[in-house]
Amino acid sequence: MNKQQIQLLFQQVFNNEADLCVQSPGRINIIGEHTDYNNGFVLPAAIDKKVIVGIRKRDDDLIVMYAEAFEEKKEVKIPEMKPLGDWADYILGVVAQLIKKDYVVGGFEILLTGDIPIGAGLSSSAAVECATIFALNELFHFGLEKMEMVQMAQMAEHEYAGVKCGIMDQFASMFGKKDHLIKLDCRSLEYEYIPFQNQDFVLVLFNSNVKHALVDSEYNIRRNQCNEGVEMIRKYHPQINSLRDVETEMVEKYIRPQDELIYRRCQYVVSENIRLLQLCKALNHNNLDKCGKLMHETHLGLSEDYEVSCPELDLLVKIAMEQPGVIGARLVGGGFGGCTINLVRQENLESVIYEVENGYKLSSGKESTTYIVSVEDGTKLI
């Protein structure tokens, strides 16, 4: 959707032109799942699926929001803002964070559109938050740095949407760079761009088209289980503050004898950080076969130890890994539905898509949707 089309839609909804338009991408994560809220490493990238907002100042304290996906308009007075339990919370949560930091936010009209599939595990919510804060920063000239916007967008998710997410989704959406992955240290917030361009391989997403209701509640449960594991180890090593500081031997020695479930959760996270560093090394040597192997190991860990997969995702991964030309497959995102990410040889692309879509339908009775994604830039003005 280009700027002209957004302005046309804005005109239809609000009888006015938008002051400015912003696009913010969804994200994939090559490896490093559920490590971000444990202060570990992640390896995300912004993709060519995005959220787009048009925004316009008002001269009162009214926020008027329209989401094209739901064909729904909502109005809220700024002094009366509170979580509504739906899509509007990703916008209102951002406004609440700005007000908390003493920025003066006036009324505005905002149009929400785009092509990130909702509930696919591609962080459409983070993209909305990043697009909103970027647009408000431009509209009201707050002078916020990108990192400040990322942290406020994350807190909007915590406090308004009620999901205690790590920082990865918002960071990848804001800081994405075309043809590069971002190796992010979620403890120090240091990051480096790693080139990711190989004409022989394609990133393919297979959307299971299921979203189990467990995802948000179980996400918070997993976070608490990881914290429990840290506390078990802290009794013997008081300097330990998160699973990032923990070694495999500590998990074996201090957690396994006490609690098998907490052990499996923590063992997965510690192993995942190790895998991510191995994968970065493999990328530097252009060893994509090794990358694919590590991605599949991640899926097994997510499915068996962290238990955030579901039958549909396991099925998609199983069918994909049986196809010639698929060198890696795993669930992407929080789990319990959404997409799998697959590293596929270009020459096998058509047959892989055909076999996976048909195999999934035959075995599950459900349709999958396929997205071929490219790695693109982060949040920006259109």
Side-chain angles (χ1 to χ4, degrees), residues 206-212 299 309-319 331 336-340 356 360 363-368:
F206 292 113
N207 191 346
S208 64
N209 288 318
V210 298
K211 187 176 191 294
H212 296 284
H299 181 78
S309 190
C310 61
E312 294 90 348
L313 290 172
D314 288 342
L315 177 62
L316 279 171
V317 168
K318 180 179 180 294
I319 297 167
L331 73 86
F336 303 107
C339 290
T340 63
V356 173
Y360 182 69
S363 298
S364 71
K366 298 180 176 75
E367 299 276 356
S368 64

Side-chain angles (χ1 to χ4, degrees), residues 31 268 272 275 294-302 330:
I31 200 168
Y268 161 75
E272 182 72 344
R275 273 192 292 271
L294 290 164
M295 283 169 66
H296 189 235
E297 283 176 16
T298 289
H299 181 78
L300 297 177
L302 286 165
R330 70 171 192 85

Side-chain angles (χ1 to χ4, degrees), residues 72-298:
E72 195 173 22
K73 191 188 260 190
K74 289 180 180 286
E75 294 185 3
V76 179
K77 283 188 175 177
I78 292 172
E80 296 167 9
M81 273 186 355
K82 62 177 191 290
L84 302 176
D86 60 20
W87 60 268
D89 287 345
Y90 302 119
I91 296 168
L92 298 176
V94 164
V95 177
Q97 288 303 313
L98 286 163
I99 291 167
K100 207 181 210 181
K101 300 259 184 188
D102 297 323
Y103 290 99
V104 180
V105 186
F108 60 91
E109 293 162 352
I110 187 166
L111 166 84
L112 203 56
T113 182
D115 61 356
I116 305 176
I118 295 163
L122 303 179
S123 292
S124 54
S125 59
V128 173
E129 290 151 358
C130 288
T132 301
I133 197 160
F134 196 97
L136 290 170
N137 187 48
E138 293 287 330
L139 194 67
F140 294 106
H141 310 291
F142 294 139
L144 292 164
E145 297 290 330
K146 276 188 174 183
M147 190 65 86
E148 290 177 278
M149 290 193 270
V150 164
Q151 289 168 323
M152 288 162 86
Q154 181 196 15
M155 291 313 293
E157 185 104 9
H158 283 205
E159 294 179 13
Y160 260 61
V163 180
K164 302 288 184 189
C165 63
I167 203 163
M168 173 181 70
D169 296 348
Q170 292 82 2
F171 189 94
S173 190
M174 188 71 75
F175 280 90
K177 183 178 176 182
K178 187 174 172 61
D179 295 329
H180 286 75
L181 308 177
I182 313 168
K183 180 189 171 192
L184 171 65
D185 181 334
C186 295
R187 179 170 60 188
S188 67
L189 297 184
E190 290 173 3
Y191 64 96
E192 64 174 298
Y193 290 109
I194 296 180
F196 186 75
Q197 211 179 3
N198 189 311
Q199 306 305 323
D200 300 329
F201 289 91
V202 190
L203 285 171
V204 182
L205 304 176
F206 292 113
N207 191 346
S208 64
N209 288 318
V210 298
K211 187 176 191 294
H212 296 284
L214 290 165
V215 61
D216 291 347
S217 58
E218 288 290 333
Y219 187 101
N220 293 337
I221 289 167
R222 292 300 177 282
R223 190 170 182 142
N224 292 335
Q225 289 169 332
C226 291
N227 291 338
E228 277 184 58
V230 170
E231 287 308 313
M232 288 178 186
I233 294 171
R234 273 173 66 86
K235 288 174 187 168
Y236 305 94
H237 296 275
Q239 78 281 10
I240 297 291
N241 291 311
S242 70
L243 287 177
R244 165 67 179 277
D245 306 310
V246 169
E247 292 166 11
T248 307
E249 295 75 22
M250 293 178 179
V251 183
E252 290 285 347
K253 187 174 178 182
Y254 302 117
I255 303 179
R256 190 167 205 171
Q258 292 188 66
D259 193 313
E260 181 66 26
L261 181 66
I262 301 295
Y263 161 75
R264 286 194 289 116
R265 303 294 191 251
C266 295
Q267 180 60 25
Y268 161 75
V269 173
V270 173
S271 303
E272 182 72 344
N273 276 317
I274 295 166
R275 273 192 292 271
L276 185 140
L277 298 175
Q278 289 173 340
L279 189 138
C280 289
K281 205 171 171 180
L283 269 179
N284 288 332
H285 292 95
N286 206 26
N287 184 352
L288 287 184
D289 286 312
K290 174 73 170 171
C291 293
K293 182 174 178 292
L294 290 164
M295 283 169 66
H296 189 235
E297 283 176 16
T298 289

